[in-house]
Amino acid sequence: MTKLAKIQAILTDKKMDAILVTSDYNRRYVADFTGTTGMALITPNKAFFITDFRYTEQAAKQAVGYEIRQNKGPILDTVEEIIAEQKLKTVFFEEAYVTVAEHKLMQSSFSATLEPFSDILEDMRKVKTADELSAIKTACEIADAAFTHILTFIKPGLTELEVSNELEFFMRRNGASGSSFDTIVASGVRSALPHGVASDKIIEVGDFVTMDYGCYYNGYCSDMTRTIAIGEPSEKLKEIYAITLEAQLKVIDALRPGLTGIEADAIARNHIASKGYGEAFGHSLGHGIGLEIHEGPNLSVKSPNVLVPGNVVTDEPGIYLPGIGGVRIEDDILITEAGNEVLTHSSKELIIL
């Protein structure tokens, strides 16, 4: 069953007249449309994609199963024409993405009643299709190749920004359309910053360097973190590296369908706490990836969601010691019927350059 057919089946089951999809990522998801302007109006038995003259030809190729309508004036006027044609009484809008101003404009433009909807598309996006998994796996392969490359590039005297730029340039040269988020390169005491975006700090001998990066390939993300040492690190840094890796591997051993996000998070959190560093692991264990770098399902102390085959999540425990340094190790992991498949394959043993 196609994504569109699944959506229409849900609308039939929930007795919903139509949903109007306006947000960028959900529009891409429901219609495979990669342009920047358009809306999808989906009913239980019909689907319309509305866009302007710049994208009508593109939409006709990408939005399979949709009737393409070109708006020559305000796009909501064309949506209203379809509402009137189809005699729609209620149109459901994406409550998480529509602003108050946009909602007011819809109210003044539509003859149908507006009602909010949420989670239908986001829940579908949690379970990846074969095509989505193929794109994610390629994005992960590019990230792995970038790590192999950066080990030949990084050295004392370079700035974090130079390392970050090299990672990003390499990924683009090898098929990525761009970085999936602002690349984190944090060295020395800055490695204790969980989101230490690359700075002009110079990398020195004895530094731990945490690199958290990823790329987009065909619209889908990878997200990987490795921490390496430039020269011999302190015994304290070696200790927290070993503990972090143990926690990360324990999660991989346990990830499977039926496990909740809370349970997965507790595996890493309890191990780190048992070693005396519980307060130094302040973020959640992981999150889903796909069209967005952060989407469901989450692995955290507040995530009762149950993992199912087709979920792709990150496993990224960390220990951060202000004034000393920090460690994070992250893989992208597919939940399978039998357990899981790790999609990022770069070495996680402590590399000392």
Side-chain angles (χ1 to χ4, degrees), residues 154-160 162-163 200-205 207 230:
I154 193 169
K155 62 183 178 181
L158 292 177
T159 66
E160 294 170 350
E162 288 174 312
V163 174
D200 58 3
K201 179 195 172 297
I202 293 173
I203 296 169
E204 303 174 68
V205 174
D207 282 355
I230 305 299

Side-chain angles (χ1 to χ4, degrees), residues 17-167:
D17 280 359
I19 59 171
L20 181 64
V21 182
T22 56
S23 63
D24 291 345
Y25 290 111
N26 280 341
R27 182 181 62 212
R28 167 78 182 254
Y29 180 74
V30 301
D32 295 318
F33 177 73
T34 60
T36 59
T37 300
M39 295 183 180
L41 183 68
I42 305 171
T43 77
N45 50 34
K46 291 190 177 182
F48 303 88
F49 195 88
I50 306 97
T51 190
D52 63 40
F53 74 97
R54 295 171 299 169
Y55 293 113
T56 50
E57 185 177 350
Q58 178 181 336
K61 294 178 180 177
Q62 293 180 330
V64 177
Y66 287 78
E67 180 180 325
I68 309 303
R69 295 286 184 94
Q70 179 180 330
N71 64 287
K72 297 181 180 179
I75 191 168
L76 293 182
D77 288 355
T78 304
V79 175
E80 166 56 22
E81 290 173 8
I82 299 169
I83 290 172
E85 287 173 12
Q86 300 299 311
K87 298 179 172 59
L88 300 176
K89 295 181 179 180
T90 306
V91 171
F92 290 79
F93 67 93
E94 299 172 282
E95 66 176 350
Y97 306 102
V98 172
T99 67
V100 172
E102 289 168 340
H103 182 261
K104 288 180 178 178
L105 189 56
M106 288 180 184
Q107 280 187 316
S108 65
S109 301
F110 296 166
S111 55
T113 300
L114 283 172
E115 293 289 346
F117 83 95
S118 62
D119 298 334
I120 291 174
L121 303 179
E122 288 78 6
D123 285 345
M124 285 183 62
R125 283 170 51 185
K126 291 177 184 178
V127 179
K128 271 54 184 181
T129 66
D131 286 344
E132 290 176 307
L133 288 175
S134 177
I136 291 171
K137 287 179 179 181
T138 300
C140 289
E141 289 170 2
I142 295 170
D144 275 329
F147 182 69
T148 299
H149 170 72
I150 211 66
L151 294 178
T152 70
F153 176 84
I154 193 169
K155 62 183 178 181
L158 292 177
T159 66
E160 294 170 350
L161 275 169
E162 288 174 312
V163 174
S164 171
N165 288 339
E166 185 66 20
L167 280 168

Side-chain angles (χ1 to χ4, degrees), residues 212-231:
D212 185 347
Y213 63 95
C215 68
Y216 271 109
Y217 179 81
N218 197 23
Y220 286 82
C221 295
S222 59
D223 182 5
M224 169 177 136
T225 307
R226 293 294 186 269
T227 301
I228 65 171
I230 305 299

Side-chain angles (χ1 to χ4, degrees), residues 214-328:
C215 68
Y216 271 109
Y217 179 81
N218 197 23
Y220 286 82
C221 295
S222 59
D223 182 5
M224 169 177 136
T225 307
R226 293 294 186 269
T227 301
I228 65 171
I230 305 299
E232 192 68 22
S234 69
E235 291 304 313
K236 176 63 71 173
L237 291 175
K238 287 182 181 179
E239 177 192 8
I240 64 172
Y241 190 97
I243 294 167
T244 303
L245 180 56
E246 289 166 358
Q248 208 258 355
L249 293 174
K250 282 180 178 292
V251 173
I252 291 174
D253 287 342
L255 283 179
R256 65 186 187 281
L259 196 72
T260 68
I262 293 172
E263 290 169 334
D265 182 274
I267 293 167
R269 199 165 303 282
N270 291 345
H271 179 74
I272 291 172
S274 74
K275 301 297 183 178
Y277 292 101
E279 295 299 315
F281 177 24
H283 57 73
S284 61
L285 173 66
H287 53 86
I289 62 170
L291 285 168
E292 294 181 85
I293 195 60
H294 290 98
E295 57 183 55
N298 292 319
L299 308 181
S300 79
V301 296
K302 298 180 179 180
S303 299
N305 45 259
V306 177
L307 295 175
V308 299
N311 293 157
V312 180
V313 296
T314 66
D315 169 16
E316 49 180 307
I319 297 176
Y320 312 93
L321 305 178
I324 297 174
V327 177
R328 183 165 64 257

